[in-house]
Amino acid sequence: MYARQVFRCAQPLQNQARQYATEVPKPSSGSSKYIYGGVAAVGLVAWGVSSRSRRKKIEEEFLKSKEGQKIKSEWDAKTGKETAKPTFTGGDQGFIDLKLESVQNVNHNTKKFRFALPDPDAVSGLPITSALLTKYKGPEDEKATIRPYTPISDEGEKGYLELLIKKYPNGPMSTHLHNMVPGQRLDFKGPLPKYPWTPNKHSHVTLIAGGTGITPMYQLARNIFNNPDDKTKVTLVFGNVSEEDILLKEELQDLENTYPQRFRAFYVLDNPPKSWTGGKGGHIDKEILKTVLPEPKEDNIKIFVCGPPGMYKAISGLKPNPKDQGELEGILKELGYSKDQVFKF
């Protein structure tokens, strides 16, 4: 059995697992802009609110008022939020080439890429838990390379989308992307639907991710907490080689700080830093999953898995192909979960 290392900055693991309660949800994306205007109008700014959680509660309560609803409607009409045109519509649309706007180095092998949409007022329009196909054919390639990626930008952001790409040895698409410079173009097609999500479809979801497998997990978690009507509880177990490899760490910590009773993140490192207080490190193993996952007998839970092949094999079993989930195997089967309770991205 693998040794484990869980990177936490707060209470011991056992004290945090499965301790959830109802919490005020986060307003939908963009809501703060019109809320702040309304808050000023009713004099709430005079309260001198500095606590983020307290401010969120005030915003949420204001949204429920008649004045808040009126301001929201006026803001949506002004910004065109309700009528923003989706860029990717699927079907027979075909590939769309997008221009690379900027590249940001994230760590030693990962970059963030921002691509401009053809219409600056359009949105990607991707549904939750969906991806995009990318296509590239080099001058000496016999056939094009096609790879799916999940954007990390909000689906409602106008004018652009962002990808977080790790460069893999002998990976033709990731290598091509890492060699791109602003102004060059890449073909995209979508959406590529994965798991049909609706608010409160499950009472509790667990996201087990490794490396860049965090991107579809972040997409789902972000949308859950962006929706005031979605009360789903979320547990993340995120495995990486080192602390430097933890992608989207700030975004995940922000979710955890904002929703401490509904979101828990547990980080597992192969090579923990010298300041690590535990053992020698390891992988996501049976011990940690047994500790932090909801019990198999709990009603209406779902476990999502995304990561490298070795992680799939150990935790849930591999997928025979993108359209076939395959049989449930590995640690999750040993812990008593059923095939219907697990989805492999």
Side-chain angles (χ1 to χ4, degrees):
M1 180 182 296
Y2 294 123
R4 68 174 170 83
Q5 281 301 329
V6 184
F7 182 46
R8 300 291 296 161
C9 299
Q11 303 172 4
L13 177 65
Q14 290 81 358
N15 293 337
Q16 296 185 55
R18 304 191 181 106
Q19 294 179 0
Y20 295 95
T22 304
E23 177 183 354
V24 177
K26 183 177 182 179
S28 58
S29 177
S31 63
S32 60
K33 295 179 181 178
Y34 53 75
I35 291 173
Y36 292 147
V39 167
V42 297
L44 287 178
V45 169
W47 288 25
V49 177
S50 59
S51 167
R52 176 169 183 162
S53 61
R54 176 60 177 156
R55 188 177 73 242
K56 293 294 182 183
K57 292 180 181 179
I58 293 174
E59 292 174 358
E60 189 67 23
E61 289 301 318
F62 182 70
L63 265 181
K64 296 177 183 178
S65 69
K66 290 183 179 180
E67 186 174 357
Q69 289 295 316
K70 179 181 178 181
I71 293 174
K72 179 180 184 300
S73 297
E74 291 174 351
W75 177 265
D76 288 344
K78 180 179 179 180
T79 60
K81 176 182 177 182
E82 296 178 340
T83 58
K85 179 183 177 182
T87 299
F88 300 99
T89 58
D92 299 327
Q93 184 183 43
F95 282 89
I96 301 174
D97 70 315
L98 302 183
K99 184 174 71 173
L100 179 62
E101 275 192 345
S102 63
V103 181
Q104 177 184 341
N105 289 324
V106 176
N107 62 24
H108 62 101
N109 61 9
T110 304
K111 295 181 179 181
K112 181 166 70 174
F113 301 84
R114 174 174 289 198
F115 288 89
L117 299 178
D119 182 348
D121 292 323
V123 298
S124 70
L126 298 182
I128 303 175
T129 66
S130 66
L132 289 171
L133 290 176
T134 59
K135 183 178 71 172
Y136 166 73
K137 185 176 185 297
E140 299 181 0
D141 294 340
E142 294 183 2
K143 60 181 181 179
T145 297
I146 298 177
R147 293 289 185 273
Y149 292 107
T150 303
I152 60 170
S153 51
D154 193 290
E155 292 73 24
E157 291 286 355
K158 290 185 176 181
Y160 71 90
L161 63 84
E162 292 180 332
L163 300 180
L164 191 63
I165 308 296
K166 177 180 178 179
K167 183 178 179 180
Y168 289 94
N170 302 317
M173 183 59 78
S174 65
T175 298
H176 171 66
L177 277 159
H178 274 244
N179 289 335
M180 288 183 69
V181 296
Q184 293 182 320
R185 308 183 78 89
L186 184 68
D187 287 339
F188 289 82
K189 182 180 181 179
L192 185 64
K194 297 291 186 174
Y195 184 81
W197 180 264
T198 54
N200 305 302
K201 184 170 185 175
H202 302 288
S203 59
H204 189 172
V205 299
T206 297
L207 316 174
I208 304 175
T212 52
I214 189 61
T215 56
M217 307 303 197
Y218 176 63
Q219 183 192 58
L220 176 57
R222 184 188 66 237
N223 277 278
I224 287 174
F225 293 114
N226 274 349
N227 188 342
D229 297 323
D230 200 332
K231 314 298 183 182
T232 308
K233 300 169 186 176
V234 181
T235 297
L236 169 68
V237 183
F238 190 12
N240 286 281
V241 175
S242 67
E243 187 176 357
E244 182 186 14
D245 294 310
I246 300 176
L247 303 176
L248 298 169
K249 186 178 180 182
E250 291 184 4
E251 291 84 350
L252 295 171
Q253 287 180 333
D254 183 58
L255 287 179
E256 192 167 21
N257 291 334
T258 307
Y259 305 96
Q261 302 304 319
R262 287 178 56 208
F263 181 69
R264 288 287 187 270
F266 301 93
Y267 302 94
V268 184
L269 302 180
D270 293 357
N271 302 317
K274 294 181 179 180
S275 58
W276 203 266
T277 58
K280 296 181 179 180
H283 303 279
I284 298 174
D285 63 11
K286 187 174 183 178
E287 181 182 357
I288 182 176
L289 294 181
K290 184 177 181 180
T291 302
V292 305
L293 265 59
E295 296 286 351
K297 62 183 179 181
E298 289 190 27
D299 292 333
N300 198 22
I301 64 171
K302 196 75 174 184
I303 301 173
F304 295 89
V305 183
C306 189
M311 195 190 87
Y312 275 116
K313 185 175 181 180
I315 293 174
S316 63
L318 296 167
K319 291 198 304 182
N321 60 67
K323 296 183 179 180
D324 184 359
Q325 287 283 299
E327 295 301 317
L328 180 63
E329 301 174 350
I331 295 173
L332 293 179
K333 182 178 181 180
E334 295 172 7
L335 291 175
Y337 296 95
S338 67
K339 180 179 178 180
D340 292 340
Q341 291 176 310
V342 179
F343 181 83
K344 309 168 191 177
F345 276 107

